[in-house]
Amino acid sequence: MSREDPHDLLAMVFARPREALAAARALLADGRGPYESSIARQALGILHREFGDLEAAIGELRHAVRLARRSGSPDRETDVLATLGIALLQSGRTRAGLSALDQAATRADGTTRARVLFRRAGARWILGRHGPALDDLRDAVPALLAARDTVWAARALTLRGHVQLALGAVQAADADFRTAQDMLGPTRQEHDSAVAVQNRGVAAFRTGDLPAALALLDEAERSFHSLGTPMFDLVGDRCAVLLAAGLARDALEHADGGLRLLARLRGQATRRAELLLIAARAALQSGDPATAGERAGEARRLFARQHRAWWSEHARLIVLQAEHATPDVPARRTALGEARRLAARLAALGSPEVWQAHLVAGRIALALGEPGVAERHLARAADVRHKGPATSRAGGWLAEALRAEAAGEPRRLLHACRAGLALIEEHRLTFGSSELHALATAQGAELVTLAQRHLLREGRPRRLLAWTERWRATSLAVPAVSPPEDGELLARLAALRQAEHLLAQARQDGAASAAALERDRSRLESRVRSATLHAKGQSSGGRERRDDDRTGRLLDALGGGRLAELVAVDGTLHVLLCGGGTVRRHTAGPMERAVAEVEFARSRLRRLAYERDPDQGELHDLGARLERAVLGPVAGLLGEEGPLVVVPPSTLHTTPWGLLPSLRRRPFTVAPSAGAWLRARSAPRPDGGRIVLVRGPGVAHADREVREIAGLYAQADRDVRWDVPWDVSLLEAGRSTAPAVLAAIDGSLLAHLAAHGTFRADSPLFSSLHLDDGPLTGYDLERLRRAPHHLVLSSCDSGQMAAVGADELLGLATALLRLGTAGIVASVVPVNDETAVPVMLGLHDGLRRGLGLAEALCRARGDDVSFIAIGAG
């Protein structure tokens, strides 16, 4: 800071906050006069206001106003008064804050007045008073540009961009953000430059480019972190993007973290209200309406005290949405009146979310049996289907579908459902991340249910199958994005393996370093996941065409076999039995009972897995009970010849299917969808006969397992006929590292991994197999150029996948199926390592004799119920 010009201190506040803090304290320690001391107190007040204690900020700024008044400089006094006005408003003292800003605007002139008008525009934007904010900016922006006040002009353009965004003018906002970034480029205002990157992320989000938005917000966060400046509006921006990407749980955790930090810093009350609102949105999208209503209610009360009508009405919207989404809570007639009034108020405020108020009003009216009122509101909500981002337009098509259902117009209903799903599919194709592909389907769940409900009433099982397939395991149908040679991501994955390896050792030794290593692992996981979320998707040209004859192709492919597709509609589980050229529907029973029986069976099998000779009578009874819940009468209709494929909904994929009496002694496969089975069945087989056997650390009997399997393929058996010679690679202790295993299995005919596994329900693509250098995760497998044609995983729970999105799955198996693996043998329950060895030997003996996976597993299984074949057998 120049001693001759103390104003340099104010320019330093955002650019180099730590230096500014030290310089302000040094200036005060020098005992300067009231003018210079006023600048120092103002700088401290801004630092406290933005990055620390708001009450301390107000104290410093009031002191600065008194010093400015003593200095006899009206210009100095009005500048500090405007800064104080913002702090008062952010503390919730709206009237006092606006009064201070109005006084400053009245007294100031020249460039100082333009800066005051910019601040008042910011206050009005915070309050949701967008018209008056634009009025102030119309005067401030030209004046600042004419004065060549570059930094303040860029800030004013940035603010104008945010006001435009609030009013739905995305292109105008983006133009302002880009101009502001260009202006800040030559300056030393690192903080403002980081804000410009943040705003570009917001603009990318509003134009629908979520991967770019996440990348830009991450870049901005790194800059703010290096400057030591926590930015709570960045928390809100990131949460909004995470919600649009389907990452509602992440958004809720992020918002809650921001709220905790804000409370610790005694920060701005206005920010607290905004973070509560975004947390409410996240809770609602996470399926937690109780938490959503609680957070939104608290936010609304804060907004009301702060006189922020625009924000208060948006909080009220979430309160109503949460109430309507709460199970077993009857619709209130008073709620309909509230929703109607809310829609009118949001329209008057110019909110782009007014359609959501009409949608909730229409839903409440339908529940109350008032179709006329519902039609009026749903029609208004449906208007948005022709404008705005894809996710909003899909919401408009949902409103149109609800209108059609209420009017009894099935063709219009199905058209609306089809159009809405097409928009969501278009939105999903912008993602390169398989996780985002899966999660983004959640928005289409209600559209599919509306179509399924209609087709169920109409008794159209063939079309019911087609509509179920339209939105089941769709992420597997999107071609995998070829991973770039991302050295940074590879380094992070390697560092994660090392951290996990060290953590396991520390836990085993009881070392005090375990807690720090746990934090390191979480940090590395966050960075790996963040990098993958930035990946952009391919164009729709690479997408599989969902033509109308898929059911016909499916029936042709089955031949004399059967496919049982399980479908849950409105809490009832149905089985669509396909085969013999027909599709027939059967009712299995309540979905709730099926889920309960699956959990009961899994808990019993966890205990029995560690018994050398489990009671076969108990296993039979357990299986029969489970079979009645998940298959009902279809168990006796599965036939005895040809392939048998079971296609459960994602929530039933952890079912131990081998336990069912009708399946224990016959070959069968389990597939995420009928379409996935068809694709796996036609997956091209590699030219060579490369077989890879991997022995992971710490697995009892693994040496025997892989060596005896290798011996099977080495035998000169006259009865075995194979069109290519086998080339067997054996990776044993010390050699089974992640890079070596990935290189070996890439494009192989068959890979067998005898390694312990860990299933991560909280983050399924971090599910892993334990190798010599640490975990091999789903993220590692996604970087394969060519998946192994067949894969055998002999460890516990290696076939488990998490149910996400509408009806999607994520886990190790899905990572490989998406890349083109034809079939996988894995377990969905704990495995007894000793008894698993003969099953694996029998499986490979069948495979070397030319049997398919399902047939070979059936012959090898004996009394084992742990392993299943996934994909095509």
Side-chain angles (χ1 to χ4, degrees):
M1 182 188 71
S2 165
R3 185 176 180 88
E4 290 73 21
D5 188 0
H7 292 95
D8 289 347
L9 178 57
L10 294 175
M12 194 192 299
V13 165
F14 289 111
R16 300 183 300 283
R18 294 188 183 93
E19 291 180 41
L21 179 62
R25 288 172 174 168
L27 191 151
L28 291 172
D30 283 349
R32 302 283 189 90
Y35 189 96
E36 291 88 346
S37 296
S38 170
I39 291 174
R41 294 289 180 188
Q42 184 181 10
L44 290 173
I46 295 171
L47 287 165
H48 280 303
R49 185 191 71 192
E50 295 298 320
F51 314 122
D53 188 330
L54 195 54
E55 289 305 314
I58 292 170
E60 292 286 0
L61 291 170
R62 283 181 168 149
H63 195 169
V65 170
R66 291 193 296 272
L67 288 167
R69 192 171 295 135
R70 281 173 51 197
S71 75
S73 169
D75 199 58
R76 174 96 285 272
E77 183 180 349
T78 55
D79 189 71
V80 182
L81 192 59
T83 304
L84 173 62
I86 293 293
L88 289 168
L89 183 135
Q90 290 175 336
S91 72
R93 283 165 267 191
T94 303
R95 288 194 179 92
L98 288 176
S99 176
L101 285 160
D102 289 342
Q103 289 178 53
T106 301
R107 298 177 190 174
D109 55 22
T111 302
T112 299
R113 182 173 185 275
R115 291 183 176 186
V116 170
L117 289 176
F118 155 70
R119 293 181 179 113
R120 190 170 70 178
R124 288 171 165 177
W125 170 60
I126 290 171
L127 295 171
R129 301 174 187 178
H130 301 120
L134 287 175
D135 291 340
D136 277 345
L137 289 168
R138 285 189 190 97
D139 291 336
V141 171
L144 292 168
L145 289 171
R148 299 186 182 277
D149 194 349
T150 304
V151 172
W152 283 83
R155 291 172 180 169
L157 285 169
T158 295
L159 176 59
R160 190 171 72 181
H162 281 295
V163 178
Q164 301 277 23
L165 277 183
L167 296 172
V170 179
Q171 290 183 338
D174 188 49
D176 279 343
F177 290 152
R178 288 180 181 276
T179 302
Q181 184 179 17
D182 291 342
M183 293 173 66
L184 289 166
T187 72
R188 295 187 61 202
Q189 294 293 322
E190 291 91 343
H191 177 89
D192 286 280
S193 295
V195 170
V197 174
Q198 175 186 347
N199 292 330
R200 282 179 52 213
V202 174
F205 160 54
R206 294 295 292 268
T207 57
D209 190 350
L210 300 192
L214 288 168
L216 288 164
L217 293 179
D218 281 350
E219 181 184 343
E221 184 175 43
R222 288 192 296 271
S223 297
F224 290 134
H225 182 73
S226 67
L227 290 169
T229 55
M231 289 293 288
F232 294 103
D233 55 347
L234 177 64
V235 174
D237 291 340
R238 182 190 294 281
C239 287
V241 178
L242 292 172
L243 284 174
L247 297 165
R249 186 183 62 189
D250 297 69
L252 183 56
E253 291 175 357
H254 203 60
D256 284 346
L259 284 164
R260 287 191 295 271
L261 178 59
L262 191 67
R264 193 162 64 247
L265 296 176
R266 298 176 63 194
Q268 302 164 6
T270 53
R271 296 286 189 221
R272 173 172 172 76
E274 292 162 18
L275 286 175
L276 282 168
L277 181 62
I278 198 73
R281 286 186 178 133
L284 185 63
Q285 194 167 310
S286 298
D288 186 357
T291 298
E294 177 186 321
R295 301 284 176 84
E298 185 179 353
R300 187 177 181 225
R301 289 189 291 274
L302 283 173
F303 288 136
R305 286 202 293 270
Q306 296 162 9
H307 305 282
R308 301 170 71 184
W310 193 90
W311 293 89
S312 180
E313 299 303 341
H314 286 78
R316 179 59 183 146
L317 173 61
I318 296 180
V319 170
L320 282 173
Q321 289 172 323
E323 180 181 317
H324 184 72
T326 303
D328 304 321
V329 174
R332 295 183 294 112
R333 191 161 297 280
T334 53
L336 177 58
E338 291 172 20
R340 296 171 72 175
R341 289 189 293 275
L342 176 63
R345 287 195 294 269
L346 289 176
L349 290 166
S351 169
E353 295 182 15
V354 63
W355 69 272
Q356 294 192 38
H358 284 297
L359 179 59
V360 74
R363 289 182 185 277
I364 295 171
L366 287 175
L368 291 171
E370 296 195 17
V373 176
E375 165 61 23
R376 288 194 294 276
H377 284 285
L378 292 174
R380 295 290 300 277
D383 287 344
V384 79
R385 69 191 187 276
H386 298 306
K387 57 190 175 185
T391 51
S392 295
R393 284 182 284 150
W397 281 111
L398 172 59
E400 177 67 10
L402 290 169
R403 289 176 71 199
E405 183 184 47
E409 299 180 25
R411 289 173 64 87
R412 183 172 147 215
L413 165 66
L414 294 178
H415 170 72
C417 293
R418 193 176 294 112
L421 293 178
L423 279 170
I424 299 170
E425 182 73 0
E426 172 190 317
H427 171 62
R428 292 172 63 230
L429 288 172
T430 64
F431 303 139
S433 159
S434 57
E435 180 180 7
L436 293 184
H437 271 298
L439 292 170
T441 60
Q443 191 180 5
E446 188 173 1
L447 288 165
V448 174
T449 298
L450 287 169
Q452 288 174 323
R453 185 184 295 143
H454 162 69
L455 295 168
L456 194 60
R457 285 195 301 261
E458 294 288 306
R460 308 282 293 277
R462 187 164 175 143
R463 294 197 70 191
L464 178 58
L465 174 65
W467 269 92
T468 300
E469 281 290 304
R470 181 183 291 272
W471 216 239
R472 173 168 286 182
T474 56
S475 60
L476 300 182
V478 179
V481 174
S482 299
E485 292 302 319
D486 188 340
E488 185 176 357
L489 178 57
L490 290 173
R492 287 175 179 174
L493 287 166
L496 177 59
R497 281 192 293 275
Q498 177 67 8
E500 185 70 54
H501 186 67
L502 293 174
L503 177 59
Q505 288 182 335
R507 284 172 172 168
Q508 184 176 348
D509 299 340
S513 61
L517 288 168
E518 183 97 46
R519 289 193 294 273
D520 286 344
R521 183 189 66 175
S522 297
R523 176 178 51 81
L524 287 166
E525 284 186 350
S526 177
R527 290 182 177 178
V528 166
R529 185 164 176 253
S530 177
T532 62
L533 296 180
H534 298 170
K536 294 197 174 189
Q538 295 175 335
S539 67
S540 58
R543 180 180 49 169
E544 179 187 6
R545 183 168 167 261
R546 296 181 174 277
D547 50 14
D548 294 333
D549 68 351
R550 174 181 288 180
T551 303
R553 290 189 290 115
L554 172 65
L555 294 171
D556 290 342
L558 285 170
R562 296 285 187 274
L563 181 143
E565 179 131 356
L566 282 62
V567 185
V569 181
D570 293 331
T572 299
L573 184 62
H574 306 270
V575 183
L576 301 176
L577 187 59
C578 310
T582 65
V583 180
R584 300 185 185 279
R585 183 190 65 81
H586 302 268
T587 301
M591 182 66 175
E592 186 178 9
R593 186 184 72 179
V595 171
E597 290 296 340
V598 168
E599 286 306 308
F600 178 73
R602 287 176 56 79
S603 68
R604 300 296 291 167
L605 288 175
R606 277 192 286 271
R607 179 181 63 80
L608 294 171
Y610 302 101
E611 294 184 8
R612 182 176 295 273
D613 296 307
D615 186 338
Q616 293 302 311
E618 181 182 356
L619 284 175
H620 181 273
D621 293 344
L622 191 61
R625 175 175 166 173
L626 178 62
E627 185 172 82
R628 287 192 295 273
V630 298
L631 292 182
V634 172
L637 306 172
L638 297 176
E640 298 180 357
E641 296 183 0
L644 173 61
V645 185
V646 180
V647 182
S650 59
T651 47
L652 294 182
H653 234 281
T654 57
T655 302
W657 299 101
L659 183 64
L660 275 58
S662 60
L663 303 182
R664 283 191 74 174
R665 305 301 178 193
R666 68 165 298 170
F668 71 94
T669 60
V670 179
S673 69
W677 177 76
L678 282 171
R679 288 189 298 275
R681 186 173 176 271
S682 59
R685 187 176 147 188
D687 294 333
R690 190 155 50 90
I691 297 171
V692 181
L693 307 175
V694 178
R695 175 233 190 266
V699 182
H701 313 288
D703 278 330
R704 172 192 162 202
E705 182 178 321
V706 296
R707 288 180 180 277
E708 292 192 18
I709 291 171
L712 283 174
Y713 289 103
Q715 289 178 8
D717 194 326
R718 297 179 185 178
D719 297 330
V720 176
R721 297 289 184 268
W722 206 257
D723 52 358
V724 292
W726 291 310
D727 175 14
V728 180
S729 299
L730 183 59
L731 297 180
E732 297 184 271
R735 296 177 55 213
S736 60
T737 62
V741 169
L742 289 170
I745 69 174
D746 197 293
S748 62
L749 174 66
L750 172 63
H752 177 109
L753 279 67
H756 283 308
T758 298
F759 174 67
R760 288 277 300 274
D762 64 315
S763 192
L765 289 175
F766 281 118
S767 299
S768 61
L769 298 169
H770 301 178
L771 300 180
D772 286 335
D773 61 341
L776 179 76
T777 68
Y779 291 111
D780 291 296
L781 293 174
E782 286 188 331
R783 301 193 65 77
L784 288 169
R785 291 169 299 173
R786 298 163 299 165
H789 187 64
H790 283 152
L791 178 70
V792 179
L793 302 172
S794 60
S795 63
C796 298
D797 296 314
S798 53
Q800 273 217 71
M801 294 173 272
V804 299
D807 201 355
E808 303 289 317
L809 293 162
L810 283 178
L812 291 176
T814 56
L816 290 160
L817 289 171
R818 190 177 183 218
L819 287 170
T821 292
I824 300 170
V825 168
S827 70
V828 292
V829 290
V831 172
N832 184 308
D833 291 337
E834 182 178 2
T835 59
V837 173
V839 176
M840 293 296 103
L841 292 173
L843 169 68
H844 282 277
D845 187 54
L847 293 175
R848 77 188 184 97
R849 295 177 183 278
L851 299 179
L853 278 180
E855 181 70 31
L857 179 62
C858 178
R859 296 191 183 190
R861 181 183 292 126
D863 292 328
D864 179 81
V865 298
S866 304
F867 293 98
I868 59 172
I870 302 170

